[in-house]
C-alpha cells in the first residue's frame, strides 16, 4: 500500500494524516520515544502512521461531516470545533489529530 498523506484537499487514496517529516519532528522532542522512533526504518515509520490513522478512523466517531463522501479517510471534515471551541477549517487536518496519530 502506498504511503499517501491527506493534507486537507481530499487526496485520492490517502492512507495517513501525518507526513513522515511531521512525525520525525514530533518525536525529535519526545525524550521517551525519540531514540526508538529514530531507530525505525522510514518504511516501518510509514506503516505505523498508516495503522494509527486506520485505527482512529475505525474507532472514533468524529464530529461534523466528511467534506467529500468519496474521500479515502474520514478527514477533512466540516462543522468541527477544536478543544478551544474554534472552528476547524474544512481544508485542514488539525494538529490535534496529527499529534494523536503520532501518539498511537
Amino acid at each position: 500500500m502506498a504511503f499517501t498523506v491527506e493534507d486537507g484537499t481530499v487526496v485520492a487514496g490517502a492512507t495517513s494524516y501525518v507526513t513522515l517529516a511531521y512525525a520525525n519532528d514530533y518525536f525529535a522532542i519526545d525524550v521517551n520515544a525519540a531514540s526508538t522512533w529514530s531507530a525505525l526504518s522510514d518504511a516501518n515509520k510509514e506503516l505505523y502512521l498508516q495503522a494509527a490513522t486506520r485505527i482512529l478512523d475505525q474507532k472514533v466517531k468524529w464530529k461534523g461531516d466528511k467534506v467529500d463522501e468519496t474521500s479515502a479517510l474520514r478527514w477533512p471534515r466540516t462543522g468541527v470545533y477544536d478543544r478551544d471551541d474554534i472552528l476547524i477549517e474544512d481544508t485542514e487536518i488539525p494538529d490535534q489529530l496529527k499529534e494523536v496519530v503520532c501518539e498511537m
Side-chain angles (χ1 to χ4, degrees):
M1 176 183 301
F3 182 74
T4 307
V5 178
E6 175 58 64
D7 62 6
T9 62
V10 188
V11 175
T15 59
S16 177
Y17 292 122
V18 178
T19 65
L20 191 53
Y22 184 97
N24 287 337
D25 288 346
Y26 182 86
F27 286 112
I29 60 171
D30 184 334
V31 297
N32 296 311
S35 61
T36 303
W37 181 258
S38 64
L40 295 171
S41 69
D42 285 353
N44 281 337
K45 291 175 183 178
E46 289 174 352
L47 286 173
Y48 281 119
L49 295 172
Q50 288 173 320
T53 296
R54 183 177 341 139
I55 290 167
L56 287 168
D57 269 0
Q58 289 173 348
K59 304 293 184 185
V60 175
K61 181 172 178 7
W62 302 111
K63 301 238 183 220
D65 299 298
K66 284 175 70 167
V67 169
D68 184 330
E69 292 179 13
T70 65
S71 64
L73 300 177
R74 297 188 64 208
W75 280 84
R77 300 185 74 75
T78 185
V80 180
Y81 291 81
D82 72 8
R83 62 183 164 218
D84 295 316
D85 208 27
I86 298 169
L87 181 65
I88 298 170
E89 295 295 323
D90 60 6
T91 57
E92 176 184 358
I93 303 302
D95 284 336
Q96 293 94 338
L97 176 54
K98 293 176 187 178
E99 291 167 2
V100 77
V101 167
C102 291
E103 289 295 327
M104 294 270 315

